[in-house]
Amino acid sequence: MAVITISRQLGSLGDEFGHEIADALGYKCFDKDWIEKRILALGFDKKKLKYYDETKVKFFDSIRRERDQYMYYLMTAIYEAASTNNCVIIGRGSFLMLSDVINHFSLRFVAEPELRIKRIMEKMNCSEKEAKKIIRKDDHGRWAFHKTFFHYDLNNPAKFHMILNTGLINGQEAANFVAAGIKKAAIQKIEEQGMARVHELLLSQRITNYLIFIAEIPINDFHVILKGKTITLYGLTDYSATVEKAKTLLRAEFSDYEIISKINCVQDAKTK
């Protein structure tokens, strides 16, 4: 039927509501723990995960290879989750990664500051001052995470199908409300188109991971766009020979696809 993504403020109970929605629909729920485990299973260093996972990325980290590795593995995990269909995915910019998937529905959970503070005080057994500090740091971290990796202002509501205030609606009401809307909107043709796009996104990311981490092709800012039977490569490298090597590897695996390169070759350009 659908792929649902959840974005949430700390203290809005978005994680809890996400699980309740999944239960109401009979969907799988892919939460923080599942996503982190999958990123680690793909090969990311556990000690470094805390520096990238829904937090502010330090400037000197933003130019490191590990930043791209984290992002590539995160995208792989999200696309793998979405490919199961009938699922709820919580956090990690998933609503942006799946924004062009036709059977994707993005939800954001918010709450009034006073209620968020009260909930954090109760959950973490801390003072009001400490709760405010925790929320302020988390809000900034999530905003910076989305700005760094997706160039998106998390305060902009444009990418959300629905924003729910958990001070005005409880978990069961939200779950029933969303479930009814999803069931009404479910159309088999739309679902098939959506899943076809998810599989394109997942294959694109697996191609990226293969060329960068297994074949170790030296291309910066590398990404792949797959549409139908066309694979288009983007990025920046020194020489055209590097591009030809990447295309040769792909032709061996995808002989029935057209391989197009839009990679910029810096050194070749200088010698012209």
Side-chain angles (χ1 to χ4, degrees):
M1 288 167 59
V3 175
I4 300 171
T5 56
I6 303 290
S7 172
R8 70 278 189 243
Q9 294 178 324
L10 182 68
S12 69
L13 303 181
D15 292 75
E16 292 86 344
F17 277 40
H19 281 279
E20 290 195 44
I21 290 170
D23 289 342
L25 285 164
Y27 280 17
K28 305 179 197 73
C29 187
F30 298 95
D31 57 14
K32 174 183 177 180
D33 290 340
W34 184 91
I35 293 171
E36 287 184 353
K37 287 177 182 176
R38 187 63 190 131
I39 291 172
L40 296 176
L42 287 165
F44 198 73
D45 188 338
K46 185 176 182 179
K47 295 178 182 178
K48 297 175 181 176
L49 187 60
K50 64 181 179 180
Y51 298 115
Y52 295 96
D53 202 29
E54 270 194 342
T55 188
K56 180 180 178 181
V57 180
K58 295 179 181 178
F59 175 76
F60 64 84
D61 282 331
S62 67
I63 59 174
R64 291 184 178 179
R65 177 183 171 87
E66 66 188 43
R67 172 192 176 277
D68 290 337
Q69 185 184 38
Y70 168 79
M71 189 59 192
Y72 290 155
Y73 289 165
L74 172 61
M75 293 172 73
T76 303
I78 297 301
Y79 296 149
E80 286 179 346
S83 71
T84 66
N85 200 10
N86 297 345
C87 64
V88 174
I89 305 172
I90 299 177
R92 276 60 191 171
S94 54
F95 72 97
L96 294 168
M97 297 181 211
L98 300 169
S99 61
D100 68 341
V101 174
I102 196 169
N103 67 325
H104 160 239
F105 296 89
S106 56
L107 311 177
R108 179 158 172 80
F109 290 94
V110 301
E112 293 294 335
E114 295 79 10
L115 181 56
R116 296 173 66 198
I117 292 167
K118 179 182 178 182
R119 287 170 174 169
I120 294 303
M121 288 173 63
E122 293 174 353
K123 182 176 181 178
M124 298 188 176
N125 192 27
C126 63
S127 68
E128 181 179 345
K129 182 178 180 180
E130 290 172 324
K132 287 180 178 179
K133 183 178 179 180
I134 290 168
I135 289 173
R136 187 164 55 248
K137 181 180 178 181
D138 190 84
D139 283 352
H140 181 64
R142 294 188 192 202
W143 179 88
F145 172 86
H146 288 80
K147 198 69 174 177
T148 299
F149 288 109
F150 304 102
H151 310 292
Y152 185 80
D153 184 350
L154 192 54
N155 297 317
N156 179 359
K159 292 291 186 180
F160 301 110
H161 291 85
M162 189 183 300
I163 297 177
L164 296 166
N165 185 333
T166 63
L168 303 177
I169 188 170
N170 64 42
Q172 192 58 55
E173 289 172 340
N176 293 338
F177 183 66
V178 172
I182 295 297
K183 289 175 181 177
K184 187 175 182 180
I187 301 174
Q188 185 175 358
K189 185 177 180 180
I190 290 177
E191 181 180 359
E192 290 172 355
Q193 291 174 351
M195 285 301 95
R197 181 59 186 145
V198 168
H199 287 297
E200 285 182 342
L201 291 168
L202 179 56
L203 182 56
S204 297
Q205 196 54 51
R206 284 176 172 165
I207 290 171
T208 300
N209 296 349
Y210 167 70
L211 290 178
I212 297 300
F213 301 121
I214 298 177
E216 297 186 336
I217 304 295
I219 304 174
N220 295 320
D221 300 320
F222 183 62
H223 66 283
V224 175
I225 293 181
L226 191 153
K227 285 283 188 179
K229 286 292 184 176
T230 301
I231 298 172
T232 307
L233 312 179
Y234 295 85
L236 182 68
T237 192
D238 288 333
Y239 303 105
S240 58
T242 302
V243 177
E244 289 306 313
K245 182 178 180 181
K247 292 172 71 175
T248 298
L249 289 170
L250 290 181
R251 288 192 188 103
E253 294 292 328
F254 302 95
S255 58
D256 56 338
Y257 283 73
E258 180 183 10
I259 313 295
I260 297 174
S261 172
K262 292 193 176 182
I263 297 171
N264 291 320
C265 300
V266 179
Q267 294 301 329
D268 283 353
K270 289 180 178 179
T271 60
K272 290 182 179 180

